Amino acid sequence: MFMKLKALLACVAVLVPCPKTVAQDSMMERHSATDRVMRLHHSTRAMAGTPMTQTSPAATASMMAAMQGRRVSRLPAGIERLGPAEGRFLCVRREVVALDLSARARADIKALGYDIVRDYDMDGLEIAFSVVRLPRRVKIKEALARLDAIDPEGTYAPNALFALASGSVSERLPSGSLVRAAPIGSATIGLVDTGVDVSVAGLENVQILQKKFGDVAVSPRPHGTRIASLSRTAGAGRLYVADVFSDRTGFASAEDIAGAIEWLTSEGVSVINLSLAGPSNILIERAVDSALSRGHIIVAAVGNEGPQASPRYPAAYPEVLGVTAVDASLEIYPRANRGPGVDVAARGVDVVANEPGGARRVSGTSYAAPFISTYLALRFPEPRPSSSSEAFAALSLDAVDRGTPGFDAVYGAGVVLTDGP
């Protein structure tokens, strides 16, 4: 029910012409009910997500201006903005992602003067892709047009950038407000987020394995640490943390997120939590689709750009479980996105999370997501073929209906009441 309604909403919300239809592989054919949505990966209405709180003021200002459609004179180093025709989202400057390159295509790309700088063969997801570096004066829009012309059957996309769905944070609370450690839970979840500060109160006895996906070492930051703290409160005892923000741009690239998903699936993590948001991207779409087909559950925050915002991904993909946030009275978070990304709601407004130096009350869809992820991990400890559909069904049964009777674009199926602060 969720997936069909979500696909229908996505088709209405993102109904724009596709400049190119990509041949669907056998894995995508298994999801024929949502084919129309899957072919919209070149649709450019998708926009970037919320700025992460740890970026520099210049980066944050640039990101906000990009989201609001305003021009800025300068973007942070290494970032390019596509738009307005492309939908105004951010991507890695001078980089294009190419999927399943043939030998002929590789030769033609080099003949254009482009460099193939990185190759990935993700056996666990059955995805092969390459990162193509463009000459200095070649813009991504121009490069995509050239690549489409020389290789009409190929699949090319920007190396899109994603931001944390971070919401809002209160002043630090008194030390007595720290979330007290309950007995360690049994749930195992994967976090695609920033690095986690393992010294924070409550995380001492949680098993945490971290891996960086970026050009610097694992970087413990407040956002990932808060998500880990909330996961611990909800019942997680083991966390696999993929630090996709260990990058000098301050954002997470599609390349690194795909790598994170592959790592978590290879570790057998049943439920993967992504508290980030950004544009539709074919590489992320393929990685998500492959993980789902292997029995993993993908949970994602729907974003905090408000009721009028365009759909954010990966939450808006039909089989991803998109989570929105409510307060203690089960009222929706005012800044929460609405529409095709929303499947279910959980507490995510004024929840208390531990972090370095104390605790804070935090609000946002990213802070609701780990409650749903942990809730599902306790019920689906191992990946199995039917996990995703069973998870949707279980949440539908457990949810308290809110808003318009039945499934709606604000609360989804309703609010799932989980244990939390």
Side-chain angles (χ1 to χ4, degrees):
M1 175 67 76
F2 285 6
M3 290 177 278
K4 290 181 180 178
L5 287 168
K6 190 171 182 178
L8 178 61
L9 284 167
C11 288
V12 173
V14 198
L15 187 57
V16 296
C18 289
K20 178 179 178 181
T21 300
V22 176
Q24 303 295 313
D25 59 14
S26 59
M27 181 168 22
M28 288 188 178
E29 288 171 1
R30 288 197 291 270
H31 303 290
S32 58
T34 59
D35 253 2
R36 188 177 184 189
V37 177
M38 299 301 246
R39 289 197 300 268
L40 290 177
H41 64 83
H42 280 301
S43 165
T44 52
R45 281 177 57 101
M47 299 167 65
T50 2
M52 58 186 290
T53 56
Q54 290 79 33
T55 53
S56 67
T60 300
S62 298
M63 180 93 183
M64 290 298 292
M67 286 163 39
Q68 296 167 5
R70 300 198 305 268
R71 286 192 174 275
V72 291
S73 59
R74 187 172 54 184
L75 285 172
I79 295 178
E80 183 173 335
R81 181 179 62 244
L82 295 185
E86 293 78 19
R88 292 199 185 280
F89 64 87
L90 304 182
C91 54
V92 180
R93 182 173 293 166
R94 297 173 53 209
E95 286 191 359
V96 169
V97 172
L99 279 74
D100 304 313
L101 280 180
S102 65
R104 173 65 182 273
R106 296 178 76 90
D108 289 344
I109 288 171
K110 291 179 180 178
L112 285 176
Y114 302 171
D115 293 325
I116 299 173
V117 292
R118 294 184 294 281
D119 288 304
Y120 296 89
D121 190 359
M122 296 183 174
D123 293 334
L125 297 178
E126 295 183 3
I127 296 174
F129 72 94
S130 304
V131 178
V132 179
R133 175 69 53 79
L134 311 176
R136 287 188 179 278
R137 290 184 173 81
V138 176
K139 296 293 186 181
I140 289 175
K141 180 180 178 180
E142 174 189 348
L144 290 173
R146 289 184 180 179
L147 291 167
D148 284 348
I150 67 169
D151 184 21
E153 301 303 316
T155 303
Y156 302 93
N159 195 359
L161 291 172
F162 292 70
L164 294 168
S166 51
S168 58
V169 180
S170 74
E171 295 297 319
R172 184 167 285 117
L173 298 174
S175 58
S177 302
L178 284 171
V179 179
R180 298 305 174 190
I184 292 291
S186 60
T188 297
I189 63 173
L191 303 181
V192 182
D193 211 289
T194 75
V196 171
D197 186 335
V198 299
S199 69
V200 163
L203 296 181
E204 305 93 338
N205 298 318
V206 177
Q207 298 178 43
I208 300 178
L209 177 62
Q210 304 195 71
K211 184 175 180 179
K212 68 125 177 167
F213 293 85
D215 55 10
V216 296
V218 169
S219 305
R221 299 182 188 179
H223 189 273
T225 305
R226 294 173 195 138
I227 297 297
S229 173
L230 294 171
S231 302
R232 162 73 171 86
T233 300
R238 181 181 295 109
L239 300 174
Y240 287 79
V241 180
D243 183 1
V244 292
F245 290 92
S246 57
D247 191 289
R248 292 184 177 87
T249 66
F251 299 95
S253 69
E255 171 187 0
D256 290 338
I257 295 171
I261 293 172
E262 185 206 23
W263 174 59
L264 293 171
T265 58
S266 71
E267 294 289 342
V269 178
S270 178
V271 181
I272 299 172
N273 183 96
L274 297 101
S275 289
L276 49 80
S280 182
N281 179 272
I282 185 58
L283 176 57
I284 300 299
E285 183 181 330
R286 289 275 189 94
V288 164
D289 190 71
S290 181
L292 289 166
S293 73
R294 286 159 171 74
H296 301 270
I297 298 169
I298 308 291
V299 176
V302 300
N304 305 305
E305 288 79 54
Q308 304 305 317
S310 299
R312 297 295 186 265
Y313 296 84
Y317 289 127
E319 292 187 71
V320 171
L321 189 84
V323 181
T324 191
V326 297
D327 62 20
S329 300
L330 308 189
E331 295 298 325
I332 199 70
Y333 180 50
R335 290 174 54 187
N337 288 25
R338 317 287 169 90
V342 181
D343 289 305
V344 71
R347 277 292 310 278
V349 178
D350 286 334
V351 292
V352 179
N354 292 344
E355 65 173 30
R360 292 183 189 269
R361 289 195 177 275
V362 295
S363 299
T365 61
S366 68
Y367 301 121
F371 289 105
I372 296 297
S373 292
T374 309
Y375 183 81
L376 290 173
L378 290 168
R379 289 155 179 77
F380 301 91
E382 303 291 338
R384 58 176 187 254
S386 59
S387 289
S388 183
S389 59
E390 288 181 17
F392 280 111
L395 289 169
S396 181
L397 289 173
D398 293 345
V400 176
D401 195 20
R402 295 286 292 173
T404 303
F407 192 96
D408 64 68
V410 178
Y411 293 90
V415 181
V416 175
L417 302 174
T418 66
D419 293 334

PDB file of all heavy atoms in Angstrom, residues 158-193:
ATOM      1  N   PRO A 158      25.543  13.573 -12.763  1.00  0.00           N
ATOM      2  CA  PRO A 158      26.471  14.315 -11.901  1.00  0.00           C
ATOM      3  C   PRO A 158      26.804  13.507 -10.650  1.00  0.00           C
ATOM      4  O   PRO A 158      26.025  12.667 -10.211  1.00  0.00           O
ATOM      5  CB  PRO A 158      25.681  15.579 -11.546  1.00  0.00           C
ATOM      6  CG  PRO A 158      24.605  15.679 -12.567  1.00  0.00           C
ATOM      7  CD  PRO A 158      24.268  14.279 -12.948  1.00  0.00           C
ATOM      8  N   ASN A 159      27.970  13.754 -10.081  1.00  0.00           N
ATOM      9  CA  ASN A 159      28.316  13.181  -8.784  1.00  0.00           C
ATOM     10  C   ASN A 159      27.674  14.090  -7.730  1.00  0.00           C
ATOM     11  O   ASN A 159      28.314  14.938  -7.123  1.00  0.00           O
ATOM     12  CB  ASN A 159      29.831  13.108  -8.614  1.00  0.00           C
ATOM     13  CG  ASN A 159      30.261  12.211  -7.466  1.00  0.00           C
ATOM     14  OD1 ASN A 159      29.433  11.637  -6.771  1.00  0.00           O
ATOM     15  ND2 ASN A 159      31.551  12.093  -7.262  1.00  0.00           N
ATOM     16  N   ALA A 160      26.361  13.900  -7.560  1.00  0.00           N
ATOM     17  CA  ALA A 160      25.540  14.817  -6.765  1.00  0.00           C
ATOM     18  C   ALA A 160      25.977  14.845  -5.302  1.00  0.00           C
ATOM     19  O   ALA A 160      26.516  13.871  -4.766  1.00  0.00           O
ATOM     20  CB  ALA A 160      24.075  14.409  -6.859  1.00  0.00           C
ATOM     21  N   LEU A 161      25.699  15.975  -4.656  1.00  0.00           N
ATOM     22  CA  LEU A 161      26.029  16.162  -3.246  1.00  0.00           C
ATOM     23  C   LEU A 161      24.764  16.159  -2.398  1.00  0.00           C
ATOM     24  O   LEU A 161      23.729  16.710  -2.789  1.00  0.00           O
ATOM     25  CB  LEU A 161      26.783  17.471  -3.040  1.00  0.00           C
ATOM     26  CG  LEU A 161      28.200  17.512  -3.631  1.00  0.00           C
ATOM     27  CD1 LEU A 161      28.764  18.915  -3.543  1.00  0.00           C
ATOM     28  CD2 LEU A 161      29.112  16.518  -2.939  1.00  0.00           C
ATOM     29  N   PHE A 162      24.865  15.542  -1.231  1.00  0.00           N
ATOM     30  CA  PHE A 162      23.753  15.418  -0.305  1.00  0.00           C
ATOM     31  C   PHE A 162      24.134  16.091   1.009  1.00  0.00           C
ATOM     32  O   PHE A 162      25.302  16.100   1.399  1.00  0.00           O
ATOM     33  CB  PHE A 162      23.426  13.947  -0.061  1.00  0.00           C
ATOM     34  CG  PHE A 162      22.860  13.252  -1.278  1.00  0.00           C
ATOM     35  CD1 PHE A 162      23.663  12.987  -2.377  1.00  0.00           C
ATOM     36  CD2 PHE A 162      21.525  12.891  -1.324  1.00  0.00           C
ATOM     37  CE1 PHE A 162      23.148  12.366  -3.512  1.00  0.00           C
ATOM     38  CE2 PHE A 162      21.004  12.268  -2.448  1.00  0.00           C
ATOM     39  CZ  PHE A 162      21.810  12.008  -3.546  1.00  0.00           C
ATOM     40  N   ALA A 163      23.131  16.636   1.687  1.00  0.00           N
ATOM     41  CA  ALA A 163      23.363  17.336   2.956  1.00  0.00           C
ATOM     42  C   ALA A 163      22.600  16.655   4.078  1.00  0.00           C
ATOM     43  O   ALA A 163      21.640  15.923   3.851  1.00  0.00           O
ATOM     44  CB  ALA A 163      22.923  18.795   2.841  1.00  0.00           C
ATOM     45  N   LEU A 164      23.037  16.891   5.291  1.00  0.00           N
ATOM     46  CA  LEU A 164      22.348  16.344   6.454  1.00  0.00           C
ATOM     47  C   LEU A 164      20.958  16.966   6.596  1.00  0.00           C
ATOM     48  O   LEU A 164      20.795  18.176   6.416  1.00  0.00           O
ATOM     49  CB  LEU A 164      23.156  16.631   7.722  1.00  0.00           C
ATOM     50  CG  LEU A 164      24.508  15.936   7.822  1.00  0.00           C
ATOM     51  CD1 LEU A 164      25.316  16.545   8.962  1.00  0.00           C
ATOM     52  CD2 LEU A 164      24.331  14.446   8.025  1.00  0.00           C
ATOM     53  N   ALA A 165      19.971  16.139   6.906  1.00  0.00           N
ATOM     54  CA  ALA A 165      18.628  16.641   7.208  1.00  0.00           C
ATOM     55  C   ALA A 165      18.600  17.021   8.685  1.00  0.00           C
ATOM     56  O   ALA A 165      17.922  16.417   9.507  1.00  0.00           O
ATOM     57  CB  ALA A 165      17.584  15.574   6.895  1.00  0.00           C
ATOM     58  N   SER A 166      19.360  18.063   9.025  1.00  0.00           N
ATOM     59  CA  SER A 166      19.737  18.289  10.418  1.00  0.00           C
ATOM     60  C   SER A 166      18.711  19.028  11.270  1.00  0.00           C
ATOM     61  O   SER A 166      18.775  18.983  12.487  1.00  0.00           O
ATOM     62  CB  SER A 166      21.068  19.035  10.479  1.00  0.00           C
ATOM     63  OG  SER A 166      21.037  20.180   9.666  1.00  0.00           O
ATOM     64  N   GLY A 167      17.772  19.750  10.694  1.00  0.00           N
ATOM     65  CA  GLY A 167      16.749  20.402  11.505  1.00  0.00           C
ATOM     66  C   GLY A 167      17.304  21.497  12.395  1.00  0.00           C
ATOM     67  O   GLY A 167      18.168  22.268  11.998  1.00  0.00           O
ATOM     68  N   SER A 168      16.819  21.547  13.645  1.00  0.00           N
ATOM     69  CA  SER A 168      17.223  22.606  14.568  1.00  0.00           C
ATOM     70  C   SER A 168      17.734  22.023  15.877  1.00  0.00           C
ATOM     71  O   SER A 168      17.392  20.904  16.255  1.00  0.00           O
ATOM     72  CB  SER A 168      16.038  23.546  14.844  1.00  0.00           C
ATOM     73  OG  SER A 168      14.948  22.819  15.374  1.00  0.00           O
ATOM     74  N   VAL A 169      18.570  22.811  16.555  1.00  0.00           N
ATOM     75  CA  VAL A 169      19.231  22.362  17.781  1.00  0.00           C
ATOM     76  C   VAL A 169      19.086  23.443  18.836  1.00  0.00           C
ATOM     77  O   VAL A 169      19.277  24.631  18.560  1.00  0.00           O
ATOM     78  CB  VAL A 169      20.730  22.077  17.516  1.00  0.00           C
ATOM     79  CG1 VAL A 169      21.419  21.622  18.794  1.00  0.00           C
ATOM     80  CG2 VAL A 169      20.891  21.039  16.419  1.00  0.00           C
ATOM     81  N   SER A 170      18.742  23.055  20.076  1.00  0.00           N
ATOM     82  CA  SER A 170      18.590  24.013  21.161  1.00  0.00           C
ATOM     83  C   SER A 170      19.952  24.327  21.781  1.00  0.00           C
ATOM     84  O   SER A 170      20.975  23.720  21.435  1.00  0.00           O
ATOM     85  CB  SER A 170      17.672  23.439  22.243  1.00  0.00           C
ATOM     86  OG  SER A 170      18.362  22.432  22.973  1.00  0.00           O
ATOM     87  N   GLU A 171      19.936  25.235  22.733  1.00  0.00           N
ATOM     88  CA  GLU A 171      21.136  25.459  23.531  1.00  0.00           C
ATOM     89  C   GLU A 171      21.441  24.194  24.331  1.00  0.00           C
ATOM     90  O   GLU A 171      20.565  23.379  24.606  1.00  0.00           O
ATOM     91  CB  GLU A 171      20.917  26.637  24.491  1.00  0.00           C
ATOM     92  CG  GLU A 171      20.728  27.974  23.787  1.00  0.00           C
ATOM     93  CD  GLU A 171      21.964  28.382  22.997  1.00  0.00           C
ATOM     94  OE1 GLU A 171      23.087  28.183  23.503  1.00  0.00           O
ATOM     95  OE2 GLU A 171      21.804  28.891  21.875  1.00  0.00           O
ATOM     96  N   ARG A 172      22.711  24.037  24.706  1.00  0.00           N
ATOM     97  CA  ARG A 172      23.090  22.850  25.489  1.00  0.00           C
ATOM     98  C   ARG A 172      22.320  22.839  26.807  1.00  0.00           C
ATOM     99  O   ARG A 172      22.163  23.854  27.474  1.00  0.00           O
ATOM    100  CB  ARG A 172      24.595  22.836  25.734  1.00  0.00           C
ATOM    101  CG  ARG A 172      25.068  21.577  26.448  1.00  0.00           C
ATOM    102  CD  ARG A 172      26.573  21.428  26.404  1.00  0.00           C
ATOM    103  NE  ARG A 172      27.015  20.992  25.088  1.00  0.00           N
ATOM    104  CZ  ARG A 172      27.797  21.713  24.297  1.00  0.00           C
ATOM    105  NH1 ARG A 172      28.214  22.899  24.699  1.00  0.00           N
ATOM    106  NH2 ARG A 172      28.166  21.271  23.121  1.00  0.00           N
ATOM    107  N   LEU A 173      21.841  21.653  27.173  1.00  0.00           N
ATOM    108  CA  LEU A 173      21.044  21.494  28.385  1.00  0.00           C
ATOM    109  C   LEU A 173      21.942  21.300  29.602  1.00  0.00           C
ATOM    110  O   LEU A 173      23.111  20.929  29.474  1.00  0.00           O
ATOM    111  CB  LEU A 173      20.116  20.289  28.233  1.00  0.00           C
ATOM    112  CG  LEU A 173      19.091  20.388  27.093  1.00  0.00           C
ATOM    113  CD1 LEU A 173      18.340  19.073  26.963  1.00  0.00           C
ATOM    114  CD2 LEU A 173      18.122  21.533  27.333  1.00  0.00           C
ATOM    115  N   PRO A 174      21.424  21.518  30.802  1.00  0.00           N
ATOM    116  CA  PRO A 174      22.201  21.240  32.018  1.00  0.00           C
ATOM    117  C   PRO A 174      22.638  19.787  32.054  1.00  0.00           C
ATOM    118  O   PRO A 174      21.998  18.907  31.460  1.00  0.00           O
ATOM    119  CB  PRO A 174      21.215  21.552  33.142  1.00  0.00           C
ATOM    120  CG  PRO A 174      20.209  22.469  32.530  1.00  0.00           C
ATOM    121  CD  PRO A 174      20.091  22.055  31.103  1.00  0.00           C
ATOM    122  N   SER A 175      23.712  19.515  32.784  1.00  0.00           N
ATOM    123  CA  SER A 175      24.267  18.163  32.816  1.00  0.00           C
ATOM    124  C   SER A 175      23.255  17.135  33.308  1.00  0.00           C
ATOM    125  O   SER A 175      23.288  15.971  32.919  1.00  0.00           O
ATOM    126  CB  SER A 175      25.517  18.114  33.701  1.00  0.00           C
ATOM    127  OG  SER A 175      25.210  18.545  35.019  1.00  0.00           O
ATOM    128  N   GLY A 176      22.321  17.543  34.129  1.00  0.00           N
ATOM    129  CA  GLY A 176      21.310  16.623  34.622  1.00  0.00           C
ATOM    130  C   GLY A 176      20.339  16.163  33.553  1.00  0.00           C
ATOM    131  O   GLY A 176      19.540  15.252  33.780  1.00  0.00           O
ATOM    132  N   SER A 177      20.397  16.809  32.375  1.00  0.00           N
ATOM    133  CA  SER A 177      19.490  16.436  31.288  1.00  0.00           C
ATOM    134  C   SER A 177      20.033  15.306  30.430  1.00  0.00           C
ATOM    135  O   SER A 177      19.366  14.869  29.498  1.00  0.00           O
ATOM    136  CB  SER A 177      19.235  17.661  30.395  1.00  0.00           C
ATOM    137  OG  SER A 177      18.690  18.724  31.132  1.00  0.00           O
ATOM    138  N   LEU A 178      21.235  14.845  30.712  1.00  0.00           N
ATOM    139  CA  LEU A 178      21.804  13.755  29.921  1.00  0.00           C
ATOM    140  C   LEU A 178      20.871  12.552  29.903  1.00  0.00           C
ATOM    141  O   LEU A 178      20.254  12.208  30.907  1.00  0.00           O
ATOM    142  CB  LEU A 178      23.159  13.323  30.491  1.00  0.00           C
ATOM    143  CG  LEU A 178      24.356  14.236  30.216  1.00  0.00           C
ATOM    144  CD1 LEU A 178      25.545  13.771  31.038  1.00  0.00           C
ATOM    145  CD2 LEU A 178      24.716  14.217  28.742  1.00  0.00           C
ATOM    146  N   VAL A 179      20.772  11.928  28.721  1.00  0.00           N
ATOM    147  CA  VAL A 179      19.981  10.710  28.607  1.00  0.00           C
ATOM    148  C   VAL A 179      20.697   9.604  29.364  1.00  0.00           C
ATOM    149  O   VAL A 179      21.865   9.300  29.082  1.00  0.00           O
ATOM    150  CB  VAL A 179      19.802  10.305  27.130  1.00  0.00           C
ATOM    151  CG1 VAL A 179      19.003   9.010  27.039  1.00  0.00           C
ATOM    152  CG2 VAL A 179      19.094  11.413  26.363  1.00  0.00           C
ATOM    153  N   ARG A 180      20.035   9.041  30.352  1.00  0.00           N
ATOM    154  CA  ARG A 180      20.660   8.021  31.184  1.00  0.00           C
ATOM    155  C   ARG A 180      20.694   6.685  30.466  1.00  0.00           C
ATOM    156  O   ARG A 180      19.745   6.311  29.771  1.00  0.00           O
ATOM    157  CB  ARG A 180      19.904   7.875  32.494  1.00  0.00           C
ATOM    158  CG  ARG A 180      19.929   9.150  33.321  1.00  0.00           C
ATOM    159  CD  ARG A 180      21.355   9.642  33.567  1.00  0.00           C
ATOM    160  NE  ARG A 180      21.393  10.937  34.234  1.00  0.00           N
ATOM    161  CZ  ARG A 180      22.495  11.650  34.387  1.00  0.00           C
ATOM    162  NH1 ARG A 180      23.644  11.201  33.913  1.00  0.00           N
ATOM    163  NH2 ARG A 180      22.453  12.813  35.004  1.00  0.00           N
ATOM    164  N   ALA A 181      21.773   5.992  30.648  1.00  0.00           N
ATOM    165  CA  ALA A 181      21.960   4.724  29.948  1.00  0.00           C
ATOM    166  C   ALA A 181      21.018   3.662  30.489  1.00  0.00           C
ATOM    167  O   ALA A 181      21.032   3.354  31.674  1.00  0.00           O
ATOM    168  CB  ALA A 181      23.403   4.264  30.074  1.00  0.00           C
ATOM    169  N   ALA A 182      20.201   3.121  29.609  1.00  0.00           N
ATOM    170  CA  ALA A 182      19.366   1.962  29.930  1.00  0.00           C
ATOM    171  C   ALA A 182      20.155   0.715  29.561  1.00  0.00           C
ATOM    172  O   ALA A 182      21.248   0.805  28.997  1.00  0.00           O
ATOM    173  CB  ALA A 182      18.067   2.047  29.137  1.00  0.00           C
ATOM    174  N   PRO A 183      19.657  -0.479  29.875  1.00  0.00           N
ATOM    175  CA  PRO A 183      20.360  -1.684  29.448  1.00  0.00           C
ATOM    176  C   PRO A 183      20.594  -1.680  27.941  1.00  0.00           C
ATOM    177  O   PRO A 183      19.755  -1.197  27.177  1.00  0.00           O
ATOM    178  CB  PRO A 183      19.385  -2.808  29.858  1.00  0.00           C
ATOM    179  CG  PRO A 183      18.624  -2.224  31.006  1.00  0.00           C
ATOM    180  CD  PRO A 183      18.467  -0.770  30.682  1.00  0.00           C
ATOM    181  N   ILE A 184      21.736  -2.178  27.520  1.00  0.00           N
ATOM    182  CA  ILE A 184      22.083  -2.193  26.104  1.00  0.00           C
ATOM    183  C   ILE A 184      21.050  -2.997  25.317  1.00  0.00           C
ATOM    184  O   ILE A 184      20.672  -4.102  25.697  1.00  0.00           O
ATOM    185  CB  ILE A 184      23.488  -2.789  25.883  1.00  0.00           C
ATOM    186  CG1 ILE A 184      24.545  -1.836  26.460  1.00  0.00           C
ATOM    187  CG2 ILE A 184      23.761  -3.053  24.415  1.00  0.00           C
ATOM    188  CD1 ILE A 184      24.674  -0.542  25.695  1.00  0.00           C
ATOM    189  N   GLY A 185      20.574  -2.422  24.219  1.00  0.00           N
ATOM    190  CA  GLY A 185      19.611  -3.104  23.382  1.00  0.00           C
ATOM    191  C   GLY A 185      20.269  -4.121  22.473  1.00  0.00           C
ATOM    192  O   GLY A 185      21.496  -4.233  22.399  1.00  0.00           O
ATOM    193  N   SER A 186      19.430  -4.858  21.760  1.00  0.00           N
ATOM    194  CA  SER A 186      19.935  -5.931  20.900  1.00  0.00           C
ATOM    195  C   SER A 186      19.936  -5.580  19.421  1.00  0.00           C
ATOM    196  O   SER A 186      20.387  -6.370  18.598  1.00  0.00           O
ATOM    197  CB  SER A 186      19.077  -7.188  21.104  1.00  0.00           C
ATOM    198  OG  SER A 186      17.720  -6.929  20.767  1.00  0.00           O
ATOM    199  N   ALA A 187      19.445  -4.396  19.067  1.00  0.00           N
ATOM    200  CA  ALA A 187      19.313  -4.049  17.649  1.00  0.00           C
ATOM    201  C   ALA A 187      20.656  -3.663  17.044  1.00  0.00           C
ATOM    202  O   ALA A 187      21.495  -3.019  17.686  1.00  0.00           O
ATOM    203  CB  ALA A 187      18.312  -2.913  17.471  1.00  0.00           C
ATOM    204  N   THR A 188      20.846  -4.032  15.788  1.00  0.00           N
ATOM    205  CA  THR A 188      21.993  -3.610  14.997  1.00  0.00           C
ATOM    206  C   THR A 188      21.485  -2.779  13.835  1.00  0.00           C
ATOM    207  O   THR A 188      20.604  -3.221  13.082  1.00  0.00           O
ATOM    208  CB  THR A 188      22.762  -4.819  14.439  1.00  0.00           C
ATOM    209  OG1 THR A 188      23.286  -5.587  15.522  1.00  0.00           O
ATOM    210  CG2 THR A 188      23.902  -4.377  13.536  1.00  0.00           C
ATOM    211  N   ILE A 189      22.010  -1.559  13.680  1.00  0.00           N
ATOM    212  CA  ILE A 189      21.628  -0.739  12.537  1.00  0.00           C
ATOM    213  C   ILE A 189      22.862  -0.112  11.915  1.00  0.00           C
ATOM    214  O   ILE A 189      23.905   0.028  12.547  1.00  0.00           O
ATOM    215  CB  ILE A 189      20.600   0.356  12.907  1.00  0.00           C
ATOM    216  CG1 ILE A 189      21.179   1.360  13.917  1.00  0.00           C
ATOM    217  CG2 ILE A 189      19.321  -0.250  13.434  1.00  0.00           C
ATOM    218  CD1 ILE A 189      20.251   2.543  14.163  1.00  0.00           C
ATOM    219  N   GLY A 190      22.712   0.252  10.642  1.00  0.00           N
ATOM    220  CA  GLY A 190      23.763   0.962   9.932  1.00  0.00           C
ATOM    221  C   GLY A 190      23.404   2.424   9.805  1.00  0.00           C
ATOM    222  O   GLY A 190      22.266   2.766   9.454  1.00  0.00           O
ATOM    223  N   LEU A 191      24.342   3.311  10.099  1.00  0.00           N
ATOM    224  CA  LEU A 191      24.133   4.752   9.992  1.00  0.00           C
ATOM    225  C   LEU A 191      24.976   5.301   8.856  1.00  0.00           C
ATOM    226  O   LEU A 191      26.211   5.163   8.871  1.00  0.00           O
ATOM    227  CB  LEU A 191      24.506   5.463  11.291  1.00  0.00           C
ATOM    228  CG  LEU A 191      23.811   5.021  12.578  1.00  0.00           C
ATOM    229  CD1 LEU A 191      24.293   5.871  13.755  1.00  0.00           C
ATOM    230  CD2 LEU A 191      22.293   5.097  12.440  1.00  0.00           C
ATOM    231  N   VAL A 192      24.349   5.905   7.872  1.00  0.00           N
ATOM    232  CA  VAL A 192      25.061   6.636   6.821  1.00  0.00           C
ATOM    233  C   VAL A 192      24.959   8.095   7.211  1.00  0.00           C
ATOM    234  O   VAL A 192      23.926   8.738   7.038  1.00  0.00           O
ATOM    235  CB  VAL A 192      24.443   6.363   5.437  1.00  0.00           C
ATOM    236  CG1 VAL A 192      25.218   7.093   4.350  1.00  0.00           C
ATOM    237  CG2 VAL A 192      24.414   4.859   5.149  1.00  0.00           C
ATOM    238  N   ASP A 193      26.049   8.639   7.748  1.00  0.00           N
ATOM    239  CA  ASP A 193      25.968   9.924   8.445  1.00  0.00           C
ATOM    240  C   ASP A 193      27.380  10.483   8.591  1.00  0.00           C
ATOM    241  O   ASP A 193      28.275  10.131   7.818  1.00  0.00           O
ATOM    242  CB  ASP A 193      25.311   9.710   9.821  1.00  0.00           C
ATOM    243  CG  ASP A 193      24.517  10.905  10.296  1.00  0.00           C
ATOM    244  OD1 ASP A 193      25.138  11.920  10.636  1.00  0.00           O
ATOM    245  OD2 ASP A 193      23.272  10.825  10.321  1.00  0.00           O
TER     246      ASP A 193
END
